[in-house]
Amino acid sequence: MVKVAGVRFKKAGKVYYFDPDNLDIKQGSNVIVETARGLEFGFVASDVMEVPDNQIVQPLKKVIRIADEKDEQQYQENLKKKNRAMDLCMEKVRKHKLEMKLIDVEYTFDNSKIIFYFTSDGRVDFRELVKDLASVFKMRIELRQIGVRDEAKMMGGIGSCGKGLCCHTWLPDFEPVSIKMAKVQNLSLNPTKISGVCGRLMCCLKYENDIYLDMKKGMPDVGERIKTPNGMAVVLDSKILENSIKTRLILEERTDAKPEKLSTEFYFFKKQDIERLGAGKKNKKDRDKDLLSEIVADDSVSRDELEKLLRE
C-alpha cells in the first residue's frame, strides 16, 4: 500500500495521485505539484489515503507545498489573463483563415506555457499561427485539438433533465456508451432524444444499464413463444421494471391449411410464471441489428451517422 493525495486541476476533472511527502494535506486545500507540464496549482479531492501499489504509476511525483496566499493570487491572475489570450488567438485564427473553433485557453501555473484548446472537422496546419502567438506571448505555445465531448465538458451547459451537464459538474471520465444500452432500457431510438448537447449518446444511459441487464435476465423477447400456466402464448411486450409480460394465447397452431390462431384477449404474466422454450437462431437482419446495437458512440460516430445507421 502507498500513501497518496488525490489532486484535481479542473472542476470535475480526473483525480491524479501524488506523494504527500509528509505534508498536512486535507481535502479542500490547494497545493502546488510538479507535473509533466511543470508546476501546477491543484485542488485536493480527498484526504491522504492508502491505495494498492498496482493503482500507482511510478515514479510518484511529490506535492511541492501547500499553496499559500501568493500562490492563490498567481492562480487567479492566470485566470484573468484568459480572456485577453482568447481574443488575441481568435484574431490570429481569422487572420490565417483557419477552420477551427477556439474552446478554451489555459496558462500553466509557472507561466512557462500557454495551451489553446480547439475543435475542428479535420486536420489544421497551425504552424504559422503558433509562430504568431509565440511572438505575442513570449512563451511556449501548445495547440491541442479536442473532441466534441471534451468541448461540452469544458464549456458546460444544461442537459435535457434540466440540470448542469454531468461531464462539466461531476463526471471525471467518459465511459463507453452504446445504442444497445438505450434498447435494453426500452428508450426511443430517436437520436435527438438519446443524444446530449455534444451530439453523442448521453452519458447517463450508462448509469442504470447494469440494473436493467440484471432485471432483464429471463425476460422473453417480443415475438417469442413461451409456456404459461394458461398454455402456449406469443409475447407482445415485456416491461422490465414492472416484471410484466404481455401475451396472447395460442388457440390453434399453424398448419399448412390454416394460419395460427391467437386469443383476442391479452394475458399478463410474471417472469417467474413462464417457461422459455428458446428463442431459436436469429436471421441475418436480426444479427445486423445486434451489430448496430454494439456501436460505441465515441467521437467517431456523429448524430447524423447514428440516424443513417438506424434507418438502415
Side-chain angles (χ1 to χ4, degrees):
M1 302 291 282
V2 181
K3 283 189 175 182
V4 299
V7 178
R8 281 195 177 101
F9 300 105
K10 292 182 179 180
K11 180 182 179 181
K14 184 178 179 180
V15 175
Y16 296 89
Y17 291 144
F18 290 86
D19 182 353
D21 198 24
N22 297 319
L23 295 173
D24 185 20
I25 298 174
K26 301 294 183 183
Q27 182 178 1
S29 59
N30 301 325
V31 292
I32 304 300
V33 296
E34 182 183 357
T35 70
R37 302 194 315 185
L39 293 182
E40 290 285 4
F41 185 95
F43 314 96
V44 180
S46 62
D47 292 334
V48 175
M49 57 184 178
E50 292 187 348
V51 298
D53 293 358
N54 58 8
Q55 294 185 15
I56 301 299
V57 178
Q58 298 289 356
L60 196 63
K61 294 184 180 294
K62 294 183 178 182
V63 175
I64 303 300
R65 63 180 181 272
I66 297 176
D68 56 23
E69 186 176 342
K70 185 178 178 181
D71 293 326
E72 294 182 8
Q73 184 179 356
Q74 176 66 42
Y75 175 72
Q76 293 299 327
E77 288 177 359
N78 288 346
L79 292 179
K80 292 177 182 178
K81 293 188 290 187
K82 287 176 59 173
N83 291 337
R84 176 177 176 271
M86 285 280 287
D87 292 340
L88 286 173
C89 185
M90 290 175 66
E91 180 183 331
K92 297 297 183 182
V93 168
R94 288 192 292 267
K95 173 186 173 184
H96 291 282
K97 299 179 180 179
L98 297 175
E99 294 294 328
M100 55 190 291
K101 178 184 176 184
L102 194 62
I103 301 302
D104 196 13
V105 60
E106 180 181 327
Y107 282 83
T108 56
F109 177 74
D110 55 5
N111 280 265
S112 62
K113 182 195 293 186
I114 183 170
I115 305 168
F116 294 92
Y117 298 92
F118 72 94
T119 59
S120 176
D121 292 334
R123 295 180 63 86
V124 179
D125 184 358
F126 46 69
R127 286 174 294 183
E128 294 301 319
L129 173 63
V130 171
K131 291 179 182 178
D132 273 5
L133 293 174
S135 65
V136 173
F137 293 102
K138 308 298 182 183
M139 65 176 68
R140 291 173 58 196
I141 303 294
E142 179 180 341
L143 270 78
R144 186 175 299 176
Q145 186 170 358
I146 61 176
V148 290
R149 287 198 170 201
D150 294 306
E151 177 185 356
K153 186 176 182 67
M154 288 184 175
M155 301 294 289
I158 304 297
S160 57
C161 60
K163 295 185 178 182
L165 299 181
C166 294
C167 59
H168 181 70
T169 55
W170 65 271
L171 188 65
D173 293 307
F174 293 113
E175 294 190 30
V177 185
S178 68
I179 301 173
K180 186 175 182 180
M181 294 178 183
K183 292 182 67 177
V184 167
Q185 298 172 47
N186 201 27
L187 299 175
S188 168
L189 295 185
N190 183 342
T192 60
K193 293 184 178 181
I194 59 176
S195 299
V197 297
C198 61
R200 305 299 186 252
L201 290 178
M202 293 188 295
C203 295
C204 54
L205 294 178
K206 175 75 174 177
Y207 301 163
E208 299 177 357
N209 187 63
D210 291 342
I211 297 176
Y212 272 88
L213 287 175
D214 186 62
M215 295 178 67
K216 190 179 180 181
K217 290 178 180 177
M219 293 291 280
D221 299 321
V222 174
E224 186 176 336
R225 280 158 173 73
I226 59 175
K227 187 175 181 180
T228 75
N230 294 25
M232 296 298 295
V234 176
V235 177
L236 301 181
D237 190 20
S238 294
K239 295 184 178 181
I240 299 175
L241 296 180
E242 298 176 9
N243 187 20
S244 175
I245 304 167
K246 182 180 180 180
T247 70
R248 290 173 68 181
L249 296 180
I250 301 176
L251 301 180
E252 294 183 11
E253 293 286 350
R254 178 186 306 165
T255 64
D256 294 336
K258 56 183 179 181
E260 184 178 66
K261 184 178 179 181
L262 303 178
S263 64
T264 56
E265 298 86 3
F266 298 127
Y267 292 81
F268 296 87
F269 301 96
K270 302 292 184 181
K271 178 171 61 176
Q272 60 270 23
D273 296 331
I274 63 100
E275 179 183 345
R276 299 185 68 182
L277 305 178
K281 295 184 178 180
K282 295 183 178 180
N283 57 36
K284 183 179 184 301
K285 184 177 181 180
D286 290 334
R287 289 198 304 270
D288 291 342
K289 285 183 179 179
D290 286 348
L291 181 62
L292 170 61
S293 298
E294 297 292 348
I295 293 176
V296 174
D298 57 16
D299 285 341
S300 65
V301 184
S302 67
R303 180 180 293 177
D304 291 340
E305 291 169 324
L306 285 174
E307 290 177 345
K308 181 179 178 182
L309 289 168
L310 289 169
R311 284 197 301 270
E312 294 174 350

